[in-house]
Amino acid sequence: MTTDNNRFQVLAVDDDPAVHKSIKVIFDGEYEFSFASNASEALSLLDKRDIQLAILDLGLPDMSGIELLKKIKEINSDIEIIVLTGDTSLRNGIDAMKAGAYDYLVKPFDVDQITMVVKNALEKASLIEEVRYHRVIDDEKKREIVGESNKIKDVFEMINKLVNNDATVLIMGESGTGKELVARAIHNGGYRKDRPFIPVNCGAIPPELIESELFGHEKGAFTSASYKRIGKFELAHRGTIFLDEIGTLPLNLQVKLLRVLQERSIERIGGMRQIPINVRVIAATNVDLNELVKRGEFREDLYYRLNIVPLSIPPLRERKEDIPLLVEHFFNLYRKKYHRIIKNISPDVMGYFVNYEWKGNVRELENVIQCLLIISERKDITIGDLPADIISKKVPDNAGLNNGLQLEEALTRFEREYINKALIKSGNNRQEAAQILGVHRNTLLNRMRVLGMKEELE
């Protein structure tokens, strides 16, 4: 979120060098300016820099200012645009406003006037960015960790212990178990919740770029460093940085990260000063860091610095009792998102889900639910709707195959147990149990008769 004037990026486009010079003198380093003499240069700069405001001359040599204005808005509609025109009739300025410009100024412009218009335009850009930031935060806060198993309750308990302190946390778990979701829950539950949460996937960034990504660089620090870059640690100031797949961090950067954790300051590439940071660090790994330490691939001192509080996330196969709750959660979430009128997931599908070995964990289950809601044409999702790659995979032994159960008998057993759970949860209230199961009361009673659940009916 842009809150510091020094981070505002402004692009000035004019073929008159005198205008560039005037702008430099007027603002005297107050913002970070880039200058272009034509539309082609301007569009090239837009590809390289995070521009919040463009100041355009309408009389450019290679393209009309109005046309360039429209192209900029196509690239990023959030960029505010101020146009400069020599037309005293104001016709061009009004046309530019209709095309999406924030304001227009007639040349030669007044110093106080351009200062005020630029200030107001950047305040609007900052407000839009802030609103978007809080909207993203609000959306993330709506995501929740779902489950009632003892193992996931242990995770909840640990999160509650961590929210109101700044201890460095190392989250361990297989891919897809929800490590980032847990990190966000720790962040959102504490006093830093209104500050940035900055996730960094260390494994997804090329080794030659990750230092700049984490710590930033100064202009001219290397050949392609044509502007200053703010790194993720600075962006996370007063908030939380989440370093996912920390085990992939190159050894030379492990040394620098260790220094950052010890000194609570960073130095941009090419920089000459230490920049203090106030950041909570949460790291995550899907590999055994102890094994990496033994192989010399991860620094032991960094491991102990990160592993102040270890937090393990169980794989989905170890908390199967949570699967129906997760299915219900994702089904309702994506049914609403995709505006589908599908009513239920059939008991046979639920039985398959409970006994399926989710190697991709919660993420795989979530993706399957999304897929089913997108492709299914039925009122209820049945076995026939399941993706072929899931059907073709072996159902684990605990599905009852070792006991010689036929498919129909296994599904019947699961359906009976599932209905029983709903009845227990509802205090044996048939109407409420039917609502929990997402069926009509008469449908529930009929299924209970078919399943021979006479005692429950009495």
Side-chain angles (χ1 to χ4, degrees), residues 247-272:
T248 64
L249 198 66
L251 281 168
N252 65 314
L253 284 180
Q254 291 179 28
V255 178
K256 295 189 177 183
L257 177 58
L258 179 63
R259 189 179 305 121
V260 168
L261 295 176
Q262 291 171 336
E263 300 176 3
R264 294 291 166 178
S265 64
I266 60 103
E267 183 178 310
R268 298 187 194 126
I269 301 174
M272 301 296 291

Side-chain angles (χ1 to χ4, degrees), residues 352 356-357 359 364 383 385-396:
Y352 203 97
Y356 180 72
E357 190 173 9
K359 292 185 177 180
E364 183 185 4
I383 286 287
D385 295 310
L386 290 178
D389 59 334
I390 286 185
I391 292 292
S392 63
K393 290 178 182 176
K394 180 181 180 294
V395 178

